[in-house]
Amino acid sequence: FTFRYGEQFWQASAGELGVQFDADATLDNLYAAGRGGDVMSDLWAQASLWLNGRSFAPIIRYDQNLTLTRLNTIAAEINRPAHNATLTIEGTTVTSTAGQSGLAVNIPAALEQVNAAIQVFQPGGEIQLPVHEVAPAVWDAEAAANQLRTALSGPITFVADNPANPTVALGPWTATVDQIRAVLSLSLADNGDGTQSYLVTVNSEAFRGYLETLAPGLISFPKDGRFHFNLETGRLTPIQSSIAGRSLNVDASLAALEQGIFNPTSRIIPLVFDYNLPRYNDNVTAAELGISQLVADATTYYTGSTRNRIENIIQAAARMDGIIIAPGEEFSFNTHLGDISPETGFVQGKIIFGGQTINGVGGGVCQVSTTIFRAALKAGFPI
């Protein structure tokens, strides 16, 4: 028998494949002809044999285990294992190799061919070995390699917008390449069709503690808008836009980090915030607040004041302009005024201190508080 695969071939005799002629059993079978134990039947059978003869098939013994051993020996020369695609990371260098298919002899199918040839006593038969390709579990690693290359292409920078100064962002806070590599994980995932693929994931939880330390410093409280009330139309006109309050959404920021790490075009990740509107946002109406008329007013004059005193009056009055005071709410002049200093826009002016008139920062502010006091007193508000 000749076993063939492509240009390769292997030969084996029937005896080497476990085929043997059982001479004794064949002779016993011949001798038993015409000797069944019944005299009349035996005489008839012997006469028939004498006159006509009879063909007897030789008895063959076949040890299939020897054929199986031979096939396994041949298969060992043909079989080639499949190789999965590989991924390696050295520092920030990522390399990958494609998967390679293997070969495997189909031993059961080859054994069936041998059995069929032996059963028909086909001498010198040629058997084409059934060989099939063995696919690797992982064909390609380049997609995952590109993800890793992107992730390790540079540091990641967190930024946040600045409610106090929109033109200047807060931060930056930077995660280095080494820190990024430390949170990357590589695993094999089943594709559902018998194959697998490399899966790159980010353990963003490693950055949770860091973001939680940033969170308190990024909180901003909602700031009410300021409005003028138009007596003729009964409507509010915004003169200073409201500002929404915010708090850092750590979970959403971590999710943004996971996406940003694999972003090939930008390494800047804006932090994510939860926002809450102030009580008096830009869309509030006078009708909603129950504002319908002028309750009281008061007027004082600063004719003859110095330029610095006038400037301080303007600065203080501007801080009171457009404030909405809710029913039952306490209005504090000092709270809205804030710090009186050159850094906040106030200048030197005449003040009364210790029963004497001297120069001091903010001279003239008291006239604004006096004017407001007169309006509140006229309106009947408790002081």
Side-chain angles (χ1 to χ4, degrees), residues 65 80 92 133 151 177 179 198 206 240 273 305 311 337 366:
N65 288 327
R80 184 181 70 218
T92 58
E133 284 194 356
V177 172
Q179 290 173 324
Y198 283 106
Q240 182 175 306
F273 293 89
S305 294
E311 179 63 28
L337 180 67
C366 59

Side-chain angles (χ1 to χ4, degrees), residues 46 240 247 251 288 321 355:
Q46 290 171 12
Q240 182 175 306
S247 58
D251 289 334
E288 290 173 336
D321 193 15

Side-chain angles (χ1 to χ4, degrees), residues 5 78-83 99-106 129-136 139:
Y5 171 65
I78 299 174
N79 288 352
R80 184 181 70 218
H83 294 285
Q100 295 181 344
S101 61
L103 296 175
V105 177
N106 188 334
L129 290 171
V131 179
H132 62 269
E133 284 194 356
V134 179
W139 272 110

Side-chain angles (χ1 to χ4, degrees), residues 138-186:
V138 184
W139 272 110
D140 182 45
E142 189 59 19
N146 285 332
Q147 278 189 295
L148 289 170
R149 293 185 188 109
T150 298
L152 300 175
S153 62
I156 287 289
T157 301
F158 293 104
V159 295
D161 58 344
N162 186 352
N165 187 355
T167 61
V168 180
L170 297 176
W173 303 276
T174 301
T176 66
V177 172
D178 288 338
Q179 290 173 324
I180 294 171
R181 181 180 177 183
V183 300
L184 295 176
S185 297
L186 190 64

Side-chain angles (χ1 to χ4, degrees), residues 91-274:
T92 58
T93 302
V94 181
T95 56
S96 69
T97 62
Q100 295 181 344
S101 61
L103 296 175
V105 177
N106 188 334
I107 297 294
L111 188 60
E112 288 184 7
Q113 292 186 58
V114 175
N115 292 345
I118 289 175
Q119 288 175 5
V120 298
F121 292 99
Q122 178 184 345
E126 184 168 295
I127 295 174
Q128 292 291 334
L129 290 171
V131 179
H132 62 269
E133 284 194 356
V134 179
V138 184
W139 272 110
D140 182 45
E142 189 59 19
N146 285 332
Q147 278 189 295
L148 289 170
R149 293 185 188 109
T150 298
L152 300 175
S153 62
I156 287 289
T157 301
F158 293 104
V159 295
D161 58 344
N162 186 352
N165 187 355
T167 61
V168 180
L170 297 176
W173 303 276
T174 301
T176 66
V177 172
D178 288 338
Q179 290 173 324
I180 294 171
R181 181 180 177 183
V183 300
L184 295 176
S185 297
L186 190 64
S187 60
L188 285 173
D190 289 328
N191 297 327
D193 58 359
T195 63
Q196 295 178 315
S197 58
Y198 283 106
L199 181 65
V200 182
T201 55
V202 180
N203 178 22
S204 59
E205 286 296 312
F207 290 96
R208 179 177 292 276
Y210 178 67
L211 291 183
E212 287 176 346
T213 61
L214 294 180
L218 297 173
I219 292 175
S220 63
F221 297 99
K223 187 175 181 180
D224 290 330
R226 295 194 179 190
F227 307 84
H228 282 170
F229 177 63
N230 190 314
L231 290 171
E232 295 179 0
T233 64
R235 293 182 178 180
L236 296 178
T237 303
I239 61 170
Q240 182 175 306
S241 294
S242 62
I243 299 176
R246 72 176 187 182
S247 58
L248 182 63
N249 187 325
V250 174
D251 289 334
S253 295
L254 290 176
L257 168 65
E258 290 186 25
Q259 295 182 356
I261 282 178
F262 300 117
N263 188 330
T265 59
S266 175
R267 308 298 289 172
I268 298 176
I269 300 176
L271 292 173
V272 182
F273 293 89
D274 292 325

